[in-house]
């Protein structure tokens, strides 16, 4: 009776490429050791006169050495082959990335082709209509010739007296072909404004995503001509005063802003604003988006007084259209607060940030990243006023919430990082730890949850601890921040917070006067990295 033998599942036992290379290197080391030992034995046998039996052993040793050399050669081939496969895999990944980009370009070209085909069909219909009109005009011209032949004396009298008979054909043509273009666009624009609806074409959304990808790669020599060509085509087909043209102007403004060409970007956004106000109405959400983008652009250039009324108008539109408790209203409040902060209007800043915080917490929940960002912005406002206790309280709230989200509720055995830092500060003279991560080595994972906001909070609170002389607590937070995934993302911010603390502790009146200077000082413009803009990228709608 035969028994069946089931094959072993070898797929699970196959070593990986790295394991093969490591094993091959280990075998090479063993073979090199054997080669050295065989060479020594062979030399010792060859040094003295050998009987035939010893000569036979020498031959076997030579054969073994040849086999060892062959094995070493095969091992080197395996290692070289592994390196080649790694290079091939890397090249394959590059080709896949190129394929993805080409697929996006292909999709955009398909959309453009579909639009062009539609335009071609309309042009063919227009040509057919014009041919019919041409035939009718030729018929009318023949009738006119017959009339002229029938009454030549009447024509001469009309020419000699300069009468209006020569204008009669033109008047008749105007009656036959009235100009509808004067009424059409106005009617469509009013309807769009009444309905409040404007949907961006899919091809422009695809183009927007493609341009963003090129700009992120620094390929402005491709992104700019692409936008300009699309803008030219839209203006030829739809006219300059069309919502799609305004959308394209926003996209091109995004590219110019990334190149620090602020004047060109501002010109495009002002043009887009005028078009959207004309075609969609002054209270349309798209108008608010363009106002916000223009205000942010002015804010980045330090023109806070020019930016503030634009930001306030965008806020009024969004409150009117979306309601006072919509998340987009909170974003607008954040930007308005930041503009006021750079002008030293701290009471207004606190009001706007607290309103934004109330909206985010009620509509998006306590764990939404915007809640932590807004608290961070408000803490920065407190730092500028020298309210260090209030800022410290907000920083601790952010870290505590991040801890609860990652590790559960706080208790004696489960404490947030700032509590560990303060305990280490209190007991610094009583114990000697090997390192700062003895009890909370995995806390840095919480930084990855809301990074870089939590990471910024760690460094800002660390700077506060240093100002208070709590060096042990400060080092604990700083070392924990350095463990986050984005190490050093806010290194510049920490130094500026420290400078801010020094200035705030000295002369708060001087700080306020600096904020009220025309246009704001350079330090106020760029020293506030922890306060974040919302909606910085030009929005399509």
């Amino acid at each position: 009776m035969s028994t069946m033998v089931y094959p072993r599942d070898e797929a699970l036992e196959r070593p990986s490429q790295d394991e093969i290379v490591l094993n091959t290197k280990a075998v090479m080391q063993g073979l090199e050791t054997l080669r050295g030992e065989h060479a020594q034995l062979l030399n010792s046998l060859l040094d003295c006169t050998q009987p035939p039996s010893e000569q036979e052993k020498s031959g076997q040793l030579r054969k073994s050495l040849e086999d060892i050399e062959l094995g070493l050669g095969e091992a080197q081939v395996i290692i070289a082959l592994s390196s080649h496969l790694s290079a091939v895999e890397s090249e394959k990944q590059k080709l896949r990335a190129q394929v993805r980009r080409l697929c996006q370009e292909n999709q955009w070209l398909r959309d453009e082709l579909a639009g062009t085909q539609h335009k071609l069909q309309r042009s063919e219909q227009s040509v057919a209509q014009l041919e019919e009109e041409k035939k009718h005009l030729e018929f009318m011209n023949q009738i006119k010739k017959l009339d002229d032949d029938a009454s030549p004396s009447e024509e001469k009298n009309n020419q000699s007296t300069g009468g209006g008979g020569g204008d009669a054909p033109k008047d008749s043509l105007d009656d036959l072909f009235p100009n509808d273009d004067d009424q059409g666009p106005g009617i469509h624009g009013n309807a769009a404004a009444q309905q409040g609806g404007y949907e961006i074409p899919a091809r422009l959304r695809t183009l927007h995503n493609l341009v963003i990808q090129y700009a992120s790669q620094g390929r402005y020599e491709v992104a700019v001509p692409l936008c300009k060509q699309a803008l030219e085509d839209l203006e030829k087909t739809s006219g300059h005063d069309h919502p799609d043209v305004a959308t394209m102007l926003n996209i091109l403004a995004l590219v110019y802003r990334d190149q620090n060409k602020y004047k060109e970007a501002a010109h495009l956004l002002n043009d887009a604003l005028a078009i959207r106000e004309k075609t969609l109405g002054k209270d349309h959400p798209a108008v608010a988006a363009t106002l916000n983008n223009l205000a942010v652009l002015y804010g980045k250039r330090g023109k806070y007084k020019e930016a503030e009324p634009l930001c306030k108008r965008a806020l009024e539109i969004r409150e009117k259209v979306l309601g006072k408790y919509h998340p987009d209203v909170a974003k607008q409040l954040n930007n308005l607060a930041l503009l006021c902060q750079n002008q030293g209007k701290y009471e207004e800043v606190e009001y706007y940030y607290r309103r934004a915080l109330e909206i985010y917490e009620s509509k998006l929940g306590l764990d939404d990243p915007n809640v932590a960002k807004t608290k961070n912005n408000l803490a920065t406002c407190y730092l500028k006023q020298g309210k260090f206790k209030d800022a410290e309280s907000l920083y601790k709230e952010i870290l505590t919430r991040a801890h609860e989200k990652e590790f559960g509720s706080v208790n004696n055995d489960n404490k947030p990082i700032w509590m560990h830092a303060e305990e280490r500060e209190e007991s610094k003279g009583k114990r000697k730890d090997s390192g700062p991560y003895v009890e909370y080595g995995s806390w840095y994972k919480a930084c990855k949850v809301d990074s870089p906001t939590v990471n910024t909070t760690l460094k800002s609170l660390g700077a506060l601890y240093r100002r208070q002389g709590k060096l042990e607590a400060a080092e604990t937070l700083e070392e924990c921040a350095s463990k986050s995934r984005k190490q050093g993302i806010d290194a510049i911010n920490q130094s500026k917070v420290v400078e801010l603390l020094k200035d705030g502790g000295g002369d708060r009146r001087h700080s306020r006067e600096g904020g009220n200077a025309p246009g704001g000082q350079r330090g106020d413009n760029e020293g506030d990295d922890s306060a974040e803009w919302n909606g910085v990228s030009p929005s399509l709608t």
Side-chain angles (χ1 to χ4, degrees):
M1 180 176 179
S2 61
T3 59
M4 296 182 64
V5 179
Y6 292 91
R8 297 175 60 187
D9 190 0
E10 298 180 355
L12 298 176
E13 299 179 358
R14 291 179 181 175
S16 63
Q17 182 178 341
D18 293 335
E19 291 175 347
I20 292 174
V21 172
L22 291 175
N23 294 336
T24 303
K25 291 182 178 179
V27 170
M28 287 182 64
Q29 292 178 356
L31 290 176
E32 289 175 354
T33 302
L34 287 175
R35 182 175 62 182
E37 293 175 356
H38 281 62
Q40 290 179 359
L41 291 174
L42 184 61
N43 291 332
S44 63
L45 292 174
L46 294 176
D47 291 338
C48 57
T49 304
Q50 302 175 357
S53 60
E54 299 296 330
Q55 293 179 358
E56 182 178 355
K57 292 181 181 179
S58 300
Q60 292 177 352
L61 286 173
R62 289 191 181 92
K63 184 177 180 181
S64 297
L65 281 172
E66 293 174 357
D67 294 338
I68 290 172
E69 293 292 343
L70 179 60
L72 288 172
E74 291 176 351
Q76 293 174 352
V77 169
I78 291 175
I79 293 176
L81 181 60
S82 174
S83 300
H84 176 70
L85 291 175
S86 298
V88 169
E89 184 64 24
S90 176
E91 187 66 24
K92 186 191 297 184
Q93 294 296 332
K94 293 180 182 178
L95 292 175
R96 285 178 179 171
Q98 292 179 0
V99 167
R100 286 194 296 269
R101 190 183 72 251
L102 290 175
C103 287
Q104 288 183 338
E105 293 180 355
N106 189 30
Q107 180 62 37
W108 181 73
L109 290 174
R110 286 178 183 274
D111 295 338
E112 287 291 325
L113 178 60
T116 304
Q117 290 176 343
H118 182 64
K119 295 174 186 176
L120 178 60
Q121 291 176 357
R122 289 190 298 178
S123 299
E124 290 175 348
Q125 293 175 357
S126 300
V127 169
Q129 182 179 359
L130 289 174
E131 288 178 352
E132 293 295 328
E133 293 173 355
K134 180 182 177 183
K135 292 179 181 179
H136 181 75
L137 286 173
E138 290 175 351
F139 173 72
M140 295 296 294
N141 192 28
Q142 290 176 0
I143 294 177
K144 179 177 179 295
K145 287 182 179 180
L146 290 175
D147 292 339
D148 291 342
D149 293 338
S151 56
S153 60
E154 181 181 355
E155 180 181 0
K156 290 180 181 179
N157 291 333
N158 289 334
Q159 291 177 353
S160 62
T161 58
D167 295 333
K170 181 177 185 302
D171 295 336
S172 63
L173 289 178
D174 289 339
D175 293 335
L176 289 172
F177 305 103
N179 186 8
D180 296 333
D181 294 338
D182 295 336
Q183 298 177 354
I187 295 174
H188 293 303
N190 292 332
Q194 292 174 1
Q195 297 175 1
Y198 166 60
E199 184 176 357
I200 298 174
R203 61 191 183 90
L204 287 186
R205 291 187 181 276
T206 305
L207 177 61
H208 176 256
N209 296 331
L210 188 61
V211 167
I212 286 180
Q213 182 177 0
Y214 281 132
S216 64
Q217 298 173 355
R219 300 181 61 184
Y220 300 109
E221 73 282 358
V222 179
V224 173
L226 191 63
C227 291
K228 288 185 176 179
Q229 183 62 48
L231 180 61
E232 182 180 352
D233 294 341
L234 284 173
E235 289 180 332
K236 286 181 179 178
T237 56
S238 304
H240 182 71
D241 294 333
H242 192 275
D244 289 349
V245 174
T247 301
M248 197 63 236
L249 290 170
N250 269 278
I251 298 175
L252 184 55
L254 165 65
V255 180
Y256 280 149
R257 191 209 66 195
D258 286 348
Q259 293 180 281
N260 296 327
K261 296 180 179 180
Y262 295 124
K263 291 184 179 179
E264 293 86 344
H267 175 73
L268 293 177
L269 289 175
N270 278 306
D271 197 4
L273 178 62
I275 295 173
R276 284 181 165 176
E277 287 181 336
K278 181 178 180 180
T279 57
L280 302 178
K282 294 188 176 182
D283 292 334
H284 195 276
V287 174
T290 307
L291 286 168
N292 176 68
N293 294 334
L294 193 56
V296 171
L297 184 65
Y298 283 155
K300 283 180 169 291
R301 297 176 62 187
K303 297 182 177 181
Y304 309 117
K305 292 185 179 180
E306 293 87 341
E308 185 178 350
L310 299 175
C311 202
K312 286 184 176 179
R313 186 185 163 198
L315 176 62
E316 292 175 359
I317 295 174
R318 284 178 167 166
E319 287 180 336
K320 180 179 180 181
V321 177
L322 304 175
K324 292 188 176 182
Y325 290 93
H326 193 277
D328 286 350
V329 173
K331 292 181 181 179
Q332 200 67 56
L333 287 166
N334 258 299
N335 289 347
L336 183 56
L338 190 56
L339 288 173
C340 292
Q341 180 171 302
N342 282 284
Q343 299 177 72
K345 302 177 180 179
Y346 295 113
E347 292 183 0
E348 297 181 33
V349 173
E350 292 186 30
Y351 170 73
Y352 292 137
Y353 277 144
R354 290 193 179 281
R355 271 198 62 194
L357 193 59
E358 180 183 0
I359 296 172
Y360 282 137
E361 290 179 343
S362 61
K363 294 297 182 181
L364 303 180
L366 297 176
D367 292 327
D368 187 80
N370 288 300
V371 173
K373 290 180 181 178
T374 306
K375 286 184 177 180
N376 225 327
N377 291 348
L378 181 56
T380 303
C381 172
Y382 286 146
L383 289 178
K384 284 181 173 290
Q385 299 177 79
K387 298 180 180 180
F388 303 121
K389 290 293 184 181
D390 294 333
E392 181 179 349
S393 177
L394 283 177
Y395 289 143
K396 289 179 178 179
E397 287 181 13
I398 297 172
L399 297 179
T400 300
R401 193 65 192 176
H403 178 88
E404 291 176 344
K405 183 178 179 181
E406 185 73 12
F407 303 106
S409 60
V410 176
N411 52 49
N412 291 332
D413 298 326
N414 185 26
K415 299 178 182 179
I417 184 63
W418 64 268
M419 287 186 180
H420 284 290
E422 291 188 350
E423 288 178 356
R424 287 175 59 85
E425 180 66 31
E426 293 175 0
S427 60
K428 60 182 178 182
K430 302 177 182 179
R431 53 99 181 102
K432 294 183 179 180
D433 289 340
S434 58
Y437 295 99
V438 175
E439 300 175 353
Y440 47 95
S442 62
W443 202 94
Y444 72 91
K445 294 180 181 178
C447 299
K448 300 179 182 179
V449 178
D450 294 320
S451 183
T453 303
V454 173
N455 198 32
T456 303
T457 305
L458 285 169
K459 295 188 176 182
S460 299
L461 184 55
L464 266 176
Y465 281 150
R466 284 192 178 278
R467 181 183 179 277
Q468 297 169 0
K470 300 178 181 179
L471 302 182
E472 189 78 13
E475 290 178 1
T476 301
L477 297 183
E478 291 165 0
E479 291 182 22
C480 185
S482 67
K483 287 284 185 176
S484 66
R485 181 173 52 188
K486 297 179 180 180
Q487 295 184 5
I489 191 171
D490 294 313
I492 300 176
N493 175 70
Q494 181 190 4
S495 62
K496 291 180 178 178
V497 169
V498 174
E499 294 176 1
L500 184 61
L501 293 173
K502 294 178 179 178
D503 294 338
D507 188 358
R508 290 172 56 185
R509 183 182 62 183
H510 176 74
S511 176
R512 291 179 180 270
E513 293 174 354
N516 290 325
Q521 293 181 354
R522 184 69 176 173
D524 285 338
N525 183 20
E526 298 186 357
D528 188 24
D529 292 349
S530 60
E532 305 176 21
W533 289 101
N534 284 281
V536 173
S537 299
S539 173
L540 293 179
T541 57

